[in-house]
Amino acid sequence: QKEVEQDPGPLSVPEGAIVSLNCTYSNSAFQYFMWYRQYSRKGPELLMYTYSSGNKEDGRFTAQVDKSSKYISLFIRDSQPSDSATYLCATHTGGFKTIFGAGTRLFVKA
Amino acid sequence: ETGVTQSPTHLIKTRGQQVTLRCSSQSGHNTVSWYQQALGQGPQFIFQYYREEENGRGNFPPRFSGLQFPNYSSELNVNALELDDSALYLCASVSGSGTGELFFGEGSRLTVL
């Protein structure tokens, strides 16, 4: 079993739709949860960061962590074609190793 | 712009050869991590260097080795290349803020024939 499971998609939505991206994880010791966005032929960039459980909002993006069910979510409101990218969930215990999901490819159609 | 630059951007090698990939880290970040990203997969942790010492390693064989220099630039060396080593190799400087945020370069795409 992988430590972080993520549906690779692809996920295709029309412009303006609400997008829901999800991951599950297996290790209850994980405390830090991140979403990275990776455009084609680029390195990943941090999009959202959450410590422990709860919600965090930044503009059109909302990250949720439910530690009781080991479930991580990213919501994108009013999606735009420029949001088309691969979204990687990630987590770590506070140590040196960040564990990534496989990434979900998102396409937002104009 | 993350301030992390990697070279070369693309390279092709044959099985059994050796390769060196280079990374220049973001100013002020003394910790660098290397990740391997196979096609369609998330990045996999290879190892991390802090002040020129390896302080963490993932599940990669010893033929994957690294160096970090006093100016915090670093290298990833892979010996005896195998076909499965074909991947995007990402260097990341690690935030010193305690969050573990990674600032990635654009990667070096290695193809092993």
Side-chain angles (χ1 to χ4, degrees):
Chain A
Q1 181 188 8
K2 291 184 179 180
E3 292 184 276
V4 179
E5 298 275 3
Q6 183 176 11
D7 186 339
L11 180 62
S12 183
V13 300
E15 183 176 357
I18 296 175
V19 176
S20 173
L21 304 170
N22 308 291
C23 292
T24 59
Y25 64 93
S26 59
N27 189 345
S28 58
F30 291 141
Q31 294 285 343
Y32 299 82
F33 304 93
M34 292 77 69
W35 285 93
Y36 284 81
R37 179 174 60 194
Q38 185 173 24
Y39 290 112
S40 180
R41 298 185 176 85
K42 299 287 187 181
E45 59 177 344
L46 184 67
L47 188 61
M48 297 287 285
Y49 166 86
T50 309
Y51 173 71
S52 195
S53 280
N55 294 358
K56 186 172 185 178
E57 188 172 324
D58 184 1
R60 298 185 294 111
F61 299 89
T62 299
Q64 286 186 352
V65 176
D66 182 346
K67 293 194 72 180
S68 63
S69 59
K70 299 188 180 69
Y71 202 78
I72 314 165
S73 300
L74 177 70
F75 299 96
I76 307 174
R77 292 181 298 279
D78 188 25
S79 56
Q80 303 294 309
S82 59
D83 294 329
S84 298
T86 296
Y87 289 81
L88 298 153
C89 61
T91 181
H92 64 83
T93 60
F96 50 77
K97 175 183 175 182
T98 296
I99 299 168
F100 289 84
T104 299
R105 293 184 67 193
L106 172 66
F107 297 94
V108 181
K109 299 172 293 185
Chain B
E1 178 61 48
T2 64
V4 177
T5 57
Q6 293 187 242
S7 63
T9 54
H10 296 83
L11 70 166
I12 299 173
K13 294 285 188 177
T14 57
R15 274 189 307 173
Q17 285 188 312
Q18 178 267 344
V19 68
T20 297
L21 307 177
R22 295 179 173 83
C23 173
S24 174
S25 299
Q26 185 165 348
S27 176
H29 289 181
N30 54 19
T31 304
V32 65
S33 295
W34 284 89
Y35 286 79
Q36 180 196 66
Q37 187 175 24
L39 196 62
Q41 300 296 317
Q44 299 289 316
F45 176 73
I46 302 175
F47 45 56
Q48 179 171 288
Y49 278 80
Y50 171 70
R51 294 187 176 180
E52 303 175 54
E53 296 287 332
E54 183 183 299
N55 73 338
R57 190 175 184 91
N59 192 24
F60 281 81
R63 59 189 186 84
F64 286 78
S65 62
L67 284 172
Q68 187 184 29
F69 301 100
N71 64 355
Y72 304 137
S73 65
S74 67
E75 289 182 354
L76 165 65
N77 298 288
V78 187
N79 294 322
L81 285 167
E82 301 177 359
L83 297 180
D84 285 348
D85 295 334
S86 295
L88 180 68
Y89 288 86
L90 295 161
C91 169
S93 65
V94 184
S95 169
S97 67
T99 63
E101 179 179 356
L102 300 170
F103 298 90
F104 285 97
E106 296 197 350
S108 294
R109 184 163 297 282
L110 171 64
T111 301
V112 182
L113 302 176

